[in-house]
Amino acid sequence: MGVLMSRRQTVEKVQKVSLAVSAFKDGLREQPVARRRAEAGGVRQGTLEQTVQEAEEEASAGPSQPEEVSASKAAWERLRDGRGVEPEEFDRANRFTPPAFIRPQRELHDDEPLDISLEQREQVLNDEMCEICEVWTAESLFPCRVCSRVYHDGCLRRMGYLQNDSAVEVTETAHTETGWSCYYCDNLNLLLTEEEMYSLMETLRQCKIIPETSLTLDDFLHYKHLVHKQQFERPMEEAQEERATLQFSALDPDKKGHIEWPDFLSHESIQLLQKLRPPNSLLRLLTVKERERARAAFLALDQDGSGFIGEGECHKAQHAWFRKHQKETPSCSVSISHVGPMSESSPASSGSGKSREKTLLESEQEEARSIDWPRFLRENVAYILAARPNSAAIHLQPPA
């Protein structure tokens, strides 16, 4: 059975390690920059460290107040390292030290076709020990709905990842079919490689986006116009601006008039993944739980067992990945084929006769085109990944 450690022993042990690591990190910060570079073996051109240093130099010439310069530096560093906002009053003496995060690296052949069988089911197993304290106890562990990690609520609190509101959400949803995403899976930005993050940071800097600030509709559209002009060297068309406006509405489900920074960052991260990686590379990011959820969705839509579904049903599935946000739905076991579009521009919500006729015609054309399991996965993988965050925002608006 192994040795069981009491919660008090666990906390004391981890706190000692935490204090030691914090002291070690503080010592590193006091070392000269040149010495740290020499110990690290040098930093190659184009890394995120250089980007942050350049941003710091530019920021030093901007704000006149030292506090603003320091806050700007810290914000860019957190963006680079994939960390969330850390309040200055965060009491690290009574907290666990967050683990160091290393950005993933793309494999040489990760864009090659990936064989994911529809018939061969995969066994879903959660870890037995808490991801933070690495100790098993008889207390209830909260599993992540995306990966295999499990957590103690007390450990999440000491890490600063569980506040008053989120604590209730985790308690109520972690053991349901809706589920809860851990702090790794909740942040889509952590899927980006160092090079991809460098590209995103360059874009944000060029468009004058300040990290950790909310964006209004005007800010969001201005940013989208600049990015589109940089990429295609021509202004956005009216239809593209309308889609951007709909995406803003999807990122602001509570109609507050602005979108929060984590939601904006997740949206831009998944957009960049779509732009830079082929579908086969994105498929490798799916976890066992996500692949099993995709199998269940396809089999539910494939009523006749032919191995094919209509294109309209595939579009419904793209909307249904976000069904966890439909709080009015009494049960999460509703058939995926009955989950309708959520977009405000959905033709189904239009009352005009022309729109209904157009919808029927498009539906007939979509149903005439069949989609098999591999294509279903390729066309849904971005939406499956975009549905990871716990936020009520829809980070990748499916087509109507």
Side-chain angles (χ1 to χ4, degrees), residues 329-389:
T329 303
S331 173
C332 294
S333 60
V334 178
S335 173
I336 194 170
S337 61
H338 294 124
V339 179
M342 296 168 60
S343 170
E344 294 180 4
S345 63
S346 172
S349 64
S350 174
S352 65
K354 279 188 177 180
S355 297
R356 291 175 180 173
E357 291 175 4
K358 183 180 179 182
T359 302
L360 291 174
L361 180 61
E362 290 177 349
S363 299
E364 291 175 359
Q365 292 174 347
E366 288 177 348
E367 293 300 331
R369 293 190 290 270
S370 297
I371 293 179
D372 59 5
W373 165 244
R375 183 183 169 188
F376 175 82
L377 271 182
R378 290 194 301 271
E379 295 192 3
N380 280 270
V381 60
Y383 300 102
I384 297 174
L385 294 173
R388 285 184 176 186

Side-chain angles (χ1 to χ4, degrees), residues 102-119:
I102 301 176
R103 289 198 171 274
Q105 295 182 351
R106 290 191 60 182
E107 300 295 333
L108 186 60
H109 304 293
D110 71 346
D111 58 344
E112 294 182 353
L114 185 65
D115 183 21
I116 301 178
S117 172
L118 175 62
E119 293 78 16

